[in-house]
Amino acid sequence: MLVFSVFCSLVLSVETALASDSLQVSSDSDNIAIAPFVTLLKQNDAVTDPASAQGALNRGLIAQSGFTDLVKTTKSNETQWLAFRVSFEDDALRHRSWVLSTQDVMHLTRIILHVPVVVEGQADYRALEDTLHGPVASTQGTTMSNFLIPEDIDTGRPLWLEVSGKLPLGATLLWQSAHASAQQTSVRVALISLLVGSVLGLIGYNLVLYFFLRDKAYLLYVAYATGMVLWLSQVLGYMLFLNKPFGLAYYSLVTPNLSAGLANMAGALFTFVFLRLHLQNQWQGRMVLVVSGSNLLLGVASYGVSDELTFVLLHQLQYVLAGLAALIVVVPTIQLAVKGYRFALPFVLAWGSLGVGIILLSLGFQPRILGVEFPKGMNVLIAMAIEMVLMSYALGLRFQSIRKENHKLDKLSKTDALTGLYNQRYYHDRLNEVVIQPLDDEEVWACAILDVDHFKAFNDQHGHLTGDRVLAQLGRIIQHNIRDRDRDQGFRIGGEEFSLLLKVRSLEEATGIVERVCAHFSRVEVHNEQGQPLRCSLSAGITLLKSADEKDTLIHRADQALYRAKSQGRDRVVVDAELV
C-alpha cells in the first residue's frame, strides 16, 4: 500500500510538473517558442508508442526538461521521445487553425507528432507526419517540416514528438497560427525561389558560355554547381517541396554522403582545370584530387552503413575533407594573385563565401530575414548565389587572361624577336593563304624580297652586335612605312633577307613603297662600338601574283628580280622581268 501511494505521488508530481509547464495559447498568440515547455525522455528501448512513452514519463525517466531556444536531441540510433502540453485560453481558440512548425529540420531527421484526441468517447493518439514527408500535401506550400494541428485536440494529455533518422534534431519549434505560418511561408518561398532561380540561371549562363567558348572549365563548373544544388536540395529536403513523389524516390536512391562526395569531386576537377594545377603546382593538384577522391569514396561507402551514428560521422568527415581540399588550393591561388592574375581574387572570395555558408550550416545558425526565420540551409543557398556570381566573374577574367596569353604566344610564334617583323614560318603560311585567294580586278598582291648589301662583310668588320642593330633598325623602318596599311606585312625570312607582302592597285604603287623603305634605310646611321656612324643599303626585287602561281613560283620570281638588282650594282629596286 505504501509503495502504491509513493508511485501515485510520483505520477501526480510528474503530471503536475508537466502540466505547470504547459504552453498557454491566448487570443493574441501567433508565434510561441515551445522549447521551454518540452521534456525529453531518457533513451529507452521499451518506448514504442505514446502509451509506453507516457509510462516512461510517469516513471520519471526524464533526461532533460526546459530547453532554452532550440529543441535538441543527441546522435543516437534509438528513437527519442519529447513531450509538451498545450492549454487554450478559451475553447474557441482550440478550434482555430494551428501549426506546429519545426522551422528547420533536415529531411533525414524524421518527426512524427502524436496528438491526443478523443475518438467515440475513447482517448487515443493520432499520428501526424509533417507536410513535407506526409501523404497529405500542405495547403500553404511550405519549405519547412510543419504539422497541421487537428481541431479535436485533447488538452488533457501531452503531445508527443517521435524523433528518428540519420541526423539529430536541433530546431526552433514554434506554435503558430495558420495565418502567421502562411505569411512566413510566403516570404520564405519568395526569397528561396529567387535565390534558387538565380543559382539555376547562373548554371544555365555558364553552360551557354561553354558551348560558345569551348572552355572545359565552364563545363566542370556547371557540373560542380549542379552537384552542390542536388546536395543542398537533398540534405534540406527541397525536392520534397518541389515534387514529393520524385523527392522520396530520389532520396531512397542517393544518400547525402554520395551527393556531397560527387559535388566535392566535381569542384576539385573544376579547380584543377581552372587554376591549371597540372602546369602551375602539380603536387598540389594531385593532393586536391586525392583528398576529393577520398571524399567520394566515403560517399560510396555510406551505402554499406546501416548504423545511423556512423552515417553521421561519415558525413562530418566529408566536411573535414572538403575543408582540407579548399585549404590546399589557397596557396596556389595566392601565388597566382601575387603574379598579377586578376581572376585569383574573385576565385578566393567565391570559395570563401561558400565556406562561410557551410560553417554557419554546421554551427546550426538560422538566418532571420525580413523578420522570418529561414532554414539553416539558407546559409549555403545565399553563399552559393554569392559564390556563383563571383565565380562567373572569375571565369570571365580567366578566359580573358588565357586568351591574352594565347594571343601573346601566337604572336611570339610568328614574330622575329630581333626585328619585330613576322618570321619565316609565318611568311610561308601567309603565302599559302594568299596564292589560293581569287584574284581581284582592282587590287593585286605584290611580293618584294629585300637584302642588306654586303652584310656578311659588314658583320666581319664591325661585329655581330652592330649588325644586329642594323637589322633591328631595318625592322623599324619597314613597320613605319607600312604601319597604316592593315593588309601589308613585313617578314624577316633569313639572316639579312626580308620580304614585303603588299596589297596594291598597281605595280607602280608597290614599287613606290619598296623604294621608300630602301631610301629611308640608306639615310639612317648606325653606330658601331667605337661610336663611328655607319650606313647600309638595300637591294630589292618585286613581282606580282599571277592566277597560276603557287607559293614557290611567286618566291622564285621575286628572288630572280633581287638577283638582277645585285648583279646590276646593288642599292636598287628591280621589277620582275616578266612584268616589264
Side-chain angles (χ1 to χ4, degrees):
M1 187 68 178
L2 178 61
V3 174
F4 178 75
S5 299
V6 171
F7 176 75
C8 290
S9 300
L10 178 61
V11 169
L12 289 174
S13 64
V14 172
E15 289 286 342
T16 302
L18 191 59
S20 64
D21 291 334
S22 64
L23 173 68
Q24 302 292 326
V25 180
S26 61
S27 57
D28 58 351
S29 299
D30 276 333
N31 294 279
I32 307 175
I34 71 170
F37 309 103
V38 174
T39 296
L40 173 65
L41 295 185
K42 288 182 179 179
Q43 300 173 17
N44 194 310
D45 294 335
V47 177
T48 57
D49 53 37
S52 56
Q54 184 67 49
L57 179 65
N58 293 341
R59 293 193 301 273
L61 298 178
I62 300 173
Q64 185 176 356
S65 182
F67 297 94
T68 55
D69 51 357
L70 296 179
V71 176
K72 298 180 180 180
T73 62
T74 59
K75 299 182 181 71
S76 172
N77 294 326
E78 298 178 357
T79 299
Q80 299 188 62
W81 292 81
L82 302 96
F84 68 97
R85 284 187 182 275
V86 176
S87 62
F88 295 93
E89 189 177 64
D90 56 63
D91 194 59
L93 288 174
R94 187 178 62 177
H95 298 289
R96 286 175 54 182
S97 297
W98 297 101
V99 173
L100 176 63
S101 174
T102 61
Q103 290 294 290
D104 186 21
V105 172
M106 296 183 180
H107 84 90
L108 290 177
T109 301
R110 296 302 304 275
I111 301 177
I112 296 177
L113 176 64
H114 297 273
V115 181
V117 294
V118 177
V119 179
E120 298 179 351
Q122 297 293 322
D124 197 4
Y125 274 92
R126 184 178 302 166
L128 303 177
E129 287 194 275
D130 63 85
T131 51
L132 280 181
H133 297 85
V136 180
S138 171
T139 57
Q140 305 170 36
T142 178
T143 58
M144 298 290 191
S145 299
N146 289 353
F147 298 88
L148 306 180
I149 305 300
E151 294 184 4
D152 55 351
I153 180 174
D154 179 9
T155 58
R157 289 173 293 148
L159 290 82
W160 288 96
L161 287 169
E162 180 184 355
V163 181
S164 61
K166 296 183 183 299
L167 295 175
L169 173 65
T172 303
L173 297 181
L174 290 183
W175 186 275
Q176 295 183 307
S177 67
H179 175 71
S181 178
Q183 284 185 325
Q184 292 189 6
T185 294
S186 298
V187 175
R188 290 191 192 101
V189 170
L191 193 52
I192 290 175
S193 299
L194 176 63
L195 288 171
V196 171
S198 300
V199 169
L200 294 178
L202 286 168
I203 290 175
Y205 167 76
N206 284 285
L207 183 60
V208 170
L209 286 180
Y210 164 72
F211 286 113
F212 276 101
L213 304 177
R214 293 297 175 180
D215 184 346
K216 60 183 176 182
Y218 282 95
L219 185 61
L220 288 172
Y221 183 65
V222 167
Y224 154 72
T226 303
M228 283 295 296
V229 169
L230 291 175
W231 168 75
L232 185 61
S233 65
Q234 190 203 39
V235 170
L236 300 179
Y238 286 168
M239 285 189 180
L240 294 175
F241 171 63
L242 296 174
N243 186 287
K244 189 177 297 183
F246 173 78
L248 292 174
Y250 177 78
Y251 297 150
S252 66
L253 294 175
V254 181
T255 68
N257 298 33
L258 179 62
S259 60
L262 289 171
N264 189 251
M265 192 66 206
L269 292 172
F270 161 70
T271 302
F272 187 84
V273 172
F274 182 93
L275 297 179
R276 292 190 285 182
L277 294 179
H278 61 291
L279 299 176
Q280 303 284 349
N281 302 85
Q282 293 186 11
W283 72 269
Q284 288 166 329
R286 295 191 191 100
M287 285 294 296
V288 169
L289 295 180
V290 168
V291 172
S292 300
S294 302
N295 198 322
L296 179 57
L297 289 176
L298 288 178
V300 174
S302 66
Y303 282 92
V305 175
S306 58
D307 181 80
E308 294 174 356
L309 181 57
T310 304
F311 187 93
V312 175
L313 293 176
L314 281 178
H315 202 65
Q316 291 178 337
L317 181 56
Q318 286 183 292
Y319 280 127
V320 174
L321 290 177
L324 178 60
L327 287 176
I328 293 173
V329 302
V330 166
V331 174
T333 307
I334 293 176
Q335 290 173 343
L336 290 175
V338 171
K339 292 178 181 178
Y341 288 90
R342 294 174 57 203
F343 61 78
L345 181 58
F347 180 83
V348 172
L349 292 176
W351 284 123
S353 65
L354 184 61
V356 170
I358 292 177
I359 290 173
L360 292 176
L361 171 67
S362 63
L363 293 177
F365 175 76
Q366 279 193 261
R368 190 172 183 83
I369 306 171
L370 300 176
V372 177
E373 283 192 351
F374 280 79
K376 293 188 285 288
M378 192 69 171
N379 297 306
V380 181
L381 188 55
I382 293 173
M384 272 196 67
I386 297 173
E387 183 258 353
M388 291 202 68
V389 171
L390 290 171
M391 197 64 79
S392 297
Y393 177 59
L395 278 165
L397 292 178
R398 173 187 175 275
F399 181 78
Q400 291 179 5
S401 174
I402 292 177
R403 186 171 61 178
K404 287 180 180 178
E405 286 185 8
N406 290 340
H407 178 72
K408 183 178 180 180
L409 291 173
D410 182 63
K411 186 176 180 181
L412 288 174
S413 69
K414 298 176 180 178
T415 305
D416 175 63
L418 179 61
T419 63
L421 300 175
Y422 290 112
N423 58 24
Q424 185 184 46
R425 183 171 65 86
Y426 184 61
Y427 175 63
H428 289 284
D429 292 340
R430 188 73 183 101
L431 283 178
N432 284 327
E433 294 174 357
V434 166
V435 296
I436 64 174
Q437 295 178 7
L439 294 180
D440 193 330
D441 294 335
E442 296 183 358
E443 293 183 315
V444 64
W445 284 104
C447 178
I449 298 180
L450 303 80
D451 191 88
V452 181
D453 294 330
H454 305 295
F455 189 70
K456 184 178 184 306
F458 182 92
N459 263 346
D460 292 341
Q461 183 178 354
H462 301 289
H464 288 281
L465 291 178
T466 304
D468 286 347
R469 283 197 288 271
V470 170
L471 298 178
Q473 185 64 46
L474 177 55
R476 288 189 289 270
I477 291 171
I478 291 175
Q479 289 176 340
H480 174 75
N481 282 278
I482 65 171
R483 62 182 179 178
D484 295 330
R485 303 173 58 84
D486 295 334
R487 295 169 296 180
D488 297 348
Q489 294 171 316
F491 305 85
R492 183 187 179 191
I493 58 176
E496 70 275 14
E497 197 170 43
F498 294 75
S499 180
L500 299 180
L501 194 58
L502 310 169
K503 192 71 175 288
V504 294
R505 292 181 179 274
S506 64
L507 177 62
E508 290 74 16
E509 183 183 358
T511 304
I513 295 171
V514 178
E515 287 178 343
R516 188 163 64 245
V517 170
C518 293
H520 189 171
F521 181 69
S522 65
R523 294 194 302 269
V524 173
E525 292 182 348
V526 177
H527 294 81
N528 62 10
E529 298 300 322
Q530 290 75 36
Q532 297 174 327
L534 305 170
R535 291 184 181 182
C536 295
S537 61
L538 288 172
S539 298
I542 303 176
T543 189
L544 297 181
L545 178 67
K546 297 179 180 180
S547 59
D549 272 338
E550 295 182 354
K551 178 190 69 173
D552 293 339
T553 58
L554 180 65
I555 294 175
H556 176 73
R557 290 204 313 276
D559 213 28
Q560 288 297 309
L562 172 63
Y563 178 78
R564 287 177 35 235
K566 291 182 178 182
S567 65
Q568 292 175 14
R570 302 178 187 272
D571 191 15
R572 67 194 64 218
V573 178
V574 173
V575 176
D576 177 11
E578 296 181 13
L579 301 176
V580 179

